[in-house]
Amino acid sequence: MPRIEIDLPLSLQSALEAEAARAGRDVNELVRSILAEHLDTKLHTVFQISTSGALVAGVSDREVSVGTLLEHGDFGLGTFAGLDGEMIVLDGAAYQAREGGAVTQAPPEAGSPFAVVTKFAPDTTGETDAISGFAGLGAACDCFRSSDNIFHAVRLSGRFRKVAARAVCPQKPGTPLVDAARTQSEFTFEDVEGTLVGIWSPAFSAEFSVEGYHFHFLSDDRTKGGHVLEVEAGPLQIAVETLNDFHLILPETESFLKANLDQDVAGALNTVERSH
Ligand SMILES: [Zn+2]
């Protein structure tokens, strides 16, 4: 997170500290929220396009453009129209990871059927222990998560010994996610500097989100990435934002309106998102 230093009159500093004490809030966090309100920049807000259940059912038509997505967030993940790869949104740019984990920057006119984005403003930062496996990654992040009942954005950066990942490959319209997963490209990166872009979703959201941790990886040189299956890493820098303002944008495409969404979403996602 960038830092700014400003000169404050003593009176303003006293008022700020008094307000922080009165409200029981951290001064840094208070200043951020005052600025966000004044500048009309929402914090702790997550925008999700479509539902995980729709993706499972094969609804992968373009719903929004990358340009529109980036107006709503600078951090997040998703996929592209026709399941043409994995989307990683980091520091205000969207990247597309395709077969073999090769990454290109996605143009603003590219379309997405499903994405989750936020304007990343972490409340908590720190360093994890060494991480081994997807479960170990989750356990490391759990220490920095304040509740099981709200969404969280999680960013981890540093050096990775190993990242096993996948990218979905373009599919015919209407292909269910479980079938698409059969042709996914799987790959492993070794000894690479990069960032995990993650969203943690509560159990109650399993019908429309990806329950638990969902991570996409992007290398620092922006050439490698994908949907994360396994991780081995030393201690990583971690930043976590609580997300308590959830906006769900439902598609109005015919494929969404007519899809049968009465399916076991969590079961299908467990097969598709975690296994390989
Ligand atoms: Zn993913």
Side-chain angles (χ1 to χ4, degrees):
M1 185 158 35
R3 286 180 66 88
I4 55 169
E5 277 183 36
I6 53 167
D7 298 319
L8 269 189
L10 207 51
S11 57
L12 202 51
Q13 185 194 11
S14 309
L16 189 62
E17 285 171 354
E19 173 58 17
R22 187 197 64 75
R25 294 170 78 177
D26 173 69
V27 170
N28 287 291
E29 191 265 323
L30 180 60
V31 170
R32 280 196 292 269
S33 75
I34 291 168
L35 281 173
E37 197 172 325
H38 186 79
L39 301 172
D40 198 22
T41 301
K42 288 201 166 113
L43 294 182
H44 308 309
T45 300
V46 58
F47 287 87
Q48 181 177 310
I49 310 301
S50 190
T51 70
S52 54
L55 210 57
V56 164
V59 179
S60 64
D61 296 343
R62 168 200 190 89
E63 177 51 28
V64 292
S65 69
V66 161
T68 301
L69 263 182
L70 294 179
E71 286 171 18
H72 290 92
D74 53 18
F75 179 96
L77 40 77
T79 186
F80 290 89
L83 297 182
D84 187 11
E86 309 288 337
M87 182 190 291
I88 308 114
V89 177
L90 186 59
D91 296 332
Y95 299 88
Q96 187 164 11
R98 291 191 172 106
E99 195 173 352
V103 164
T104 51
Q105 191 166 347
E109 64 275 13
S112 171
F114 175 85
V116 190
V117 296
T118 182
K119 288 186 175 150
F120 191 57
D123 334 87
T124 310
T125 55
E127 189 178 85
T128 68
D129 294 332
I131 288 165
S132 180
F134 196 88
L137 173 61
C141 298
D142 282 347
C143 309
F144 295 88
R145 211 159 43 72
S146 55
S147 168
D148 285 340
N149 298 330
I150 53 174
F151 292 78
H152 293 77
V154 185
R155 175 180 179 147
L156 297 123
S157 353
R159 184 152 194 89
F160 294 79
R161 281 193 303 284
K162 190 176 141 189
V163 179
R166 71 109 204 267
V168 284
C169 297
Q171 302 292 319
K172 284 200 225 91
T175 306
L177 199 59
V178 172
D179 295 338
R182 294 199 183 99
T183 64
Q184 71 188 19
S185 168
E186 294 188 16
F187 35 86
T188 301
F189 307 126
E190 285 180 358
D191 287 319
V192 59
E193 303 268 351
T195 298
L196 295 174
V197 172
I199 300 288
W200 185 90
S201 303
F204 66 77
S205 71
E207 291 294 314
F208 58 90
S209 287
V210 179
E211 180 184 350
Y213 290 102
H214 182 187
F215 285 106
H216 286 188
F217 175 78
L218 184 66
S219 63
D220 279 358
D221 64 6
R222 308 299 197 240
T223 63
K224 303 181 188 78
H227 169 104
V228 174
L229 302 170
E230 289 293 340
V231 169
E232 303 285 334
L236 296 173
Q237 297 304 311
I238 182 169
V240 178
E241 176 182 16
T242 54
L243 301 167
N244 58 1
D245 184 6
F246 189 95
H247 295 244
L248 179 61
I249 294 101
L250 294 176
E252 293 183 76
T253 53
E254 186 163 337
S255 60
F256 180 82
L257 296 176
K258 300 209 165 141
N260 174 14
L261 302 181
D262 184 17
Q263 301 195 25
D264 174 15
V265 177
L269 286 175
N270 213 25
T271 309
V272 171
E273 302 294 308
R274 312 262 188 262
S275 64
H276 52 108

